[in-house]
């Protein structure tokens, strides 16, 4: 093998590796099978990689919300919340739990609670299963 062909082969291998890094084809196929064509495109996945957003986190969150019956949650909304420093997994679990318990919890309210530093998932769980605190009859806790 000559030197130019080795260089060309190594550039081709580098191109293929970079292509599979920036284009998560397996994740896109999973999104298409679970959600249908058009909900999350391959371009969306590439943009997530370039913006350093974990595509697996967003794809799984969108699939979970769709399967739980929350079709109004889009991938762009979850990406924005992630970039703002929010916990996407907690938001998704809280929205699903609130929906199943018939508690009105809009997406904007849930993200605002999360970005304020509160655990929105625990708040919803406490609303569903209230915690009972036993206090002495005198009314003093200490």
């Amino acid at each position: 093998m000559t030197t130019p062909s080795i260089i060309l082969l190594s550039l081709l291998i580098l191109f293929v590796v970079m292509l599979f890094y920036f284009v998560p084809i397996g994740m896109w196929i999973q999104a298409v099978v679970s959600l249908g064509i058009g909900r999350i495109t391959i371009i969306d996945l590439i943009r997530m990689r370039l913006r350093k957003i974990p595509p697996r986190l967003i794809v799984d969150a969108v699939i979970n919300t769709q399967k739980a019956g929350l079709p109004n949650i889009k991938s762009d909304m979850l990406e924005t919340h992630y970039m703002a420093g929010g916990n996407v997994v907690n938001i998704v679990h809280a929205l699903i739990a609130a929906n199943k318990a018939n508690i009105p919890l809009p997406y904007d309210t849930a993200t605002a609670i999360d970005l304020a530093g509160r655990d929105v998932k625990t708040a919803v769980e406490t609303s569903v299963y209230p915690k009972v605190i036993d206090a002495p009859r005198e009314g003093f806790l200490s």
Side-chain angles (χ1 to χ4, degrees):
M1 250 178 142
T2 63
T3 304
S5 62
I6 292 173
I7 292 172
L8 186 63
L9 181 63
S10 62
L11 286 175
L12 181 67
I13 291 172
L14 180 67
F15 175 75
V16 168
V17 168
M18 293 297 286
L19 177 75
F20 282 121
Y21 174 75
F22 283 111
V23 183
I25 294 174
M27 207 175 318
W28 177 71
I29 291 172
Q30 178 187 2
V32 167
V33 168
S34 298
L35 303 171
I37 295 177
R39 291 282 302 167
I40 296 179
T41 64
I42 197 110
I43 302 299
D44 292 336
L45 295 174
I46 293 170
R47 279 192 350 225
M48 286 181 217
R49 287 265 191 205
L50 292 175
R51 288 187 284 176
K52 300 200 185 301
I53 299 172
R56 171 64 58 203
L57 178 73
I58 303 299
V59 168
D60 287 345
V62 171
I63 289 172
N64 286 339
T65 57
Q66 292 297 311
K67 297 299 180 186
L70 298 168
N72 56 345
I73 308 296
K74 309 283 188 235
S75 64
D76 294 339
M77 298 162 70
L78 295 173
E79 289 174 36
T80 303
H81 185 64
Y82 177 82
M83 288 190 297
N87 190 336
V88 174
V89 175
N90 271 358
I91 290 294
V92 169
H93 288 307
L95 289 170
I96 292 170
N99 183 39
K100 297 303 176 195
N102 290 328
I103 298 172
L105 179 65
Y107 176 80
D108 295 335
T109 304
T111 54
I113 292 169
D114 186 53
L115 291 175
R118 305 286 185 230
D119 190 2
V120 67
K121 180 181 172 190
T122 305
V124 170
E125 288 173 354
T126 303
S127 297
V128 174
Y129 302 110
K131 294 179 183 177
V132 177
I133 300 172
D134 292 327
R137 288 186 183 257
E138 297 85 34
F140 300 109
L141 292 176
S142 56

